[in-house]
Structures are given as C-alpha cells and as structure tokens.
C-alpha cells in the first residue's frame, strides 16, 4: 500500500507529480483497471471526483473549502486540485471508507457520454489530433514519430480520425459504435468516457452517500452551511452557453441512433450494475432502520 503522511496521520494512495505519472494512471484505467481519485475533507470526510460528473464544480468547491479565492484557479480547477488527489486501489479505498465519510456523484452513463462528446469529441478530428501531437512534442523528429505512432495505433484498432468538417451528430454515433477502440487510442478521450466505475470502484458500500447530478447545488449549500465558508458553486464548462458558436457543443442524447444507444448501454453495463447495487444497499439500510 502506498502511503503519504498528512498532518494528522497516514493516507494511502498514489500522488501524481508529473505528466508521465498522469499518463501511467490513464493507461491503467484504459486497460480496465480501477483507481479512485479522492480529495480529503478534514480528518473524517472526502470527495471522490469522476470526469464529466460535475467534476469541475466539485474540484472548484473543494479548493474553496481549502481557502482558495484565486478566480483563475477556481475557473479551471483541474491542475490545482490534482496534486492533492489520492489515487486509491480498491483495497486502499475500502480502508479509507472505514475511516472517512466519502461521497461521490453518479451520472446516467449515456448522458455522461454525450457530455464528453460536447466538450471533447472534436479532438478526434484530423486537425485537432494533429494540433494535439504538435503541442505535446518538442521538435520535428519527435512530432513525426508521434504522428506515425498515432496513425499505427488507429490502424491497429480499426478506426480513423474524422474529417474536420464532419457532422458532429454523425461522429458521435460512429464513435458510440466503436467506443472501446477509440478509448484505446486517445488518453484524453478515455479519461472522459471510460466507465465511471473505473473511478468509483465496484463497491458502493464504501460510500457514505452517492448523489445524482441534480443534487450538486443542494450539496454545495450543505457544505457552505456546515463549513461557514461562502462558496461560489456556479457550474463550470456549461455546454449550453457555448453551443451557438460551436456546433459540437449542441450534441444531445436524442441525436443518438437506436444502434448507438444500444451499444452504449452494453458498454456501460457495469455502471448501471453499480447503481443497482447502490440502490439495493440503500433499500436494505432503510429496511433495517424501520425494523429497529
């Protein structure tokens, strides 16, 4: 078990210190592994964040609870929160859940996929992919090597980057039908579209509470009341505010074909199973309470 020492005792988990370690974590998740990203709250509580599950808002709120008032950091809270995140194996997370009240947000998997499409699907077009490789390499030789590697990776998995003028609805449906292949080819894409169970783990019993996306504002109000800290809970990266200038931001679940929807429900079966287990556990707890 990896441990790092906090002011009030040991905390298990991996800490990410550089881009290489970030890539290693993402590759582990890509390959079907599980690592739960946890932000501690005091000595007895914690928040687990999941990409596309109100992730930006949750991180911004957490930073504010730590005393951060720097508006640029709060508007783009991913990097500021990352050094404080503990990535836990299932065994480590079970241990932490025995000592902390852990909460997380669960989201309808199809809605989560569509949200990822609104913000990141365009990255699968040729120009965007090329620009990404160019900005992440230091010289022409490294860039050419990365281009060749990326091309071979796409060929290996039987997919190809989309034309820059492709219809976003067409691209979303095409990707839904081959989602495992696309996840294997793009770390950034996989980060937002792998099953949320990869972050939450498979045991909802580790959580003190699980909430839907519609509960975020209520949770923020509770945290503000309990902490006495004034919190700006404005949602970050809201697609509706940007769709007029960017057609990719206008994608909706209703744009999915029946075939694409069926493929997504198969792919995200573990997420639905997680919800069913959580609901069964809550029903059992309520029954025990009533019996008592």
């Amino acid at each position: 078990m990896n441990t790092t020492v906090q002011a009030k005792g040991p905390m298990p988990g991996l800490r990410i210190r550089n881009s290489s370690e970030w890539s290693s974590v993402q590759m582990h998740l890509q390959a079907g592994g599980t690592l739960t990203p946890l932000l501690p709250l005091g000595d007895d509580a914690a928040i687990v964040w999941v990409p596309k599950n109100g992730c930006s808002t949750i991180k911004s709120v957490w930073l504010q609870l730590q005393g951060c008032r720097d508006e640029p950091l709060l508007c783009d809270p991913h990097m500021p929160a990352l050094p404080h995140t503990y990535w836990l194996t299932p065994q480590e997370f079970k241990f932490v859940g025995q000592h902390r009240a852990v909460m997380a947000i669960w989201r309808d998997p199809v809605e989560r996929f569509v949200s990822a499409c609104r913000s990141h699907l365009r990255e699968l077009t040729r120009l965007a992919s090329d620009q990404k490789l160019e900005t992440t390499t230091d010289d022409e030789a490294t860039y050419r090597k990365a281009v060749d590697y990326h091309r071979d990776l796409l060929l290996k998995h039987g997919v190809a980057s989309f034309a820059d003028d492709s219809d976003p609805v067409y691209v979303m449906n095409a990707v839904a039908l081959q989602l495992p292949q696309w996840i294997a080819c793009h770390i950034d894409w996989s980060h937002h579209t792998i099953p949320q169970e990869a972050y939450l783990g498979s045991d909802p019993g580790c959580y003190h509470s699980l909430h839907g996306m519609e509960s975020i504002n209520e949770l923020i109000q509770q945290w503000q009341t309990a902490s006495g800290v004034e919190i700006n809970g404005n949602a970050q990266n809201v697609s509706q505010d940007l769709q007029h200038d960017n057609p990719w931001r206008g994608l909706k679940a209703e744009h999915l074909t029946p075939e694409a929807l069926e493929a997504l429900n198969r792919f995200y079966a573990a997420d639905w199973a997680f919800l069913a287990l959580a609901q069964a556990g809550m029903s059992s707890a309520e029954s025990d309470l009533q019996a008592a």
Side-chain angles (χ1 to χ4, degrees), residues 158-225:
V159 294
S161 297
F162 296 93
D164 302 320
D165 60 352
S166 295
D167 175 14
V169 172
Y170 165 77
V171 176
M172 180 171 70
N173 281 284
V175 170
L177 293 173
Q178 292 185 288
L179 187 52
Q181 292 92 317
W182 281 109
I183 283 176
C185 294
H186 285 269
I187 284 182
D188 287 346
W189 178 249
S190 71
H191 177 60
H192 297 92
T193 53
I194 58 173
Q196 55 198 299
E197 189 198 33
Y199 301 94
L200 293 171
S202 59
D203 183 6
C206 293
Y207 291 89
H208 177 266
S209 59
L210 287 160
H211 308 270
M213 288 281 287
E214 71 282 355
S215 300
I216 288 182
N217 289 337
E218 181 182 348
L219 286 169
I220 291 173
Q221 184 59 51
Q222 291 176 4
W223 293 332
Q224 181 168 273
T225 300

Side-chain angles (χ1 to χ4, degrees), residues 26-242:
Q26 299 314 306
M27 291 171 70
H28 176 75
L29 296 172
Q30 269 183 322
T34 300
L35 283 174
T36 299
L38 179 143
L39 289 168
L41 278 173
D43 298 324
D44 58 359
I47 302 172
V48 167
W49 56 262
V50 179
K52 307 312 300 182
N53 289 23
C55 177
S56 298
T57 301
I58 290 294
K59 291 175 184 174
S60 178
V61 168
W62 185 87
L63 289 169
Q64 290 175 70
L65 290 172
Q66 312 313 304
C68 178
R69 290 295 177 267
D70 191 328
E71 195 61 32
L73 297 182
L74 297 178
C75 289
D76 188 9
H78 300 295
M79 289 307 298
L82 188 58
H84 306 284
T85 299
Y86 292 78
W87 294 83
L88 308 175
T89 66
Q91 294 78 17
E92 290 169 341
F93 183 46
K94 186 173 183 179
F95 168 77
V96 169
Q98 295 171 355
H99 302 277
R100 289 177 180 266
V102 183
M103 66 77 56
I105 301 292
W106 186 93
R107 188 174 190 178
D108 180 295
V110 173
E111 288 291 345
R112 178 171 174 264
F113 169 79
V114 175
S115 176
C117 288
R118 283 194 288 265
S119 56
H120 293 278
L121 186 62
R122 195 172 193 172
E123 296 170 13
L124 306 187
T125 59
R126 290 169 196 152
L127 179 59
S129 295
D130 190 63
Q131 289 175 336
K132 180 75 172 181
L133 294 175
E134 189 172 9
T135 57
T136 55
T137 51
D138 298 325
D139 52 59
E140 180 66 21
T142 307
Y143 166 69
R144 294 313 318 173
K145 186 177 180 180
V147 168
D148 291 342
Y149 174 82
H150 187 243
R151 179 202 60 213
D152 292 342
L153 187 63
L154 293 174
L155 286 172
K156 174 183 175 182
H157 290 281
V159 294
S161 297
F162 296 93
D164 302 320
D165 60 352
S166 295
D167 175 14
V169 172
Y170 165 77
V171 176
M172 180 171 70
N173 281 284
V175 170
L177 293 173
Q178 292 185 288
L179 187 52
Q181 292 92 317
W182 281 109
I183 283 176
C185 294
H186 285 269
I187 284 182
D188 287 346
W189 178 249
S190 71
H191 177 60
H192 297 92
T193 53
I194 58 173
Q196 55 198 299
E197 189 198 33
Y199 301 94
L200 293 171
S202 59
D203 183 6
C206 293
Y207 291 89
H208 177 266
S209 59
L210 287 160
H211 308 270
M213 288 281 287
E214 71 282 355
S215 300
I216 288 182
N217 289 337
E218 181 182 348
L219 286 169
I220 291 173
Q221 184 59 51
Q222 291 176 4
W223 293 332
Q224 181 168 273
T225 300
S227 66
V229 175
E230 185 174 351
I231 297 173
N232 177 1
N234 292 335
Q236 306 293 324
N237 304 321
V238 178
S239 297
Q240 291 91 326
D241 298 338
L242 305 169

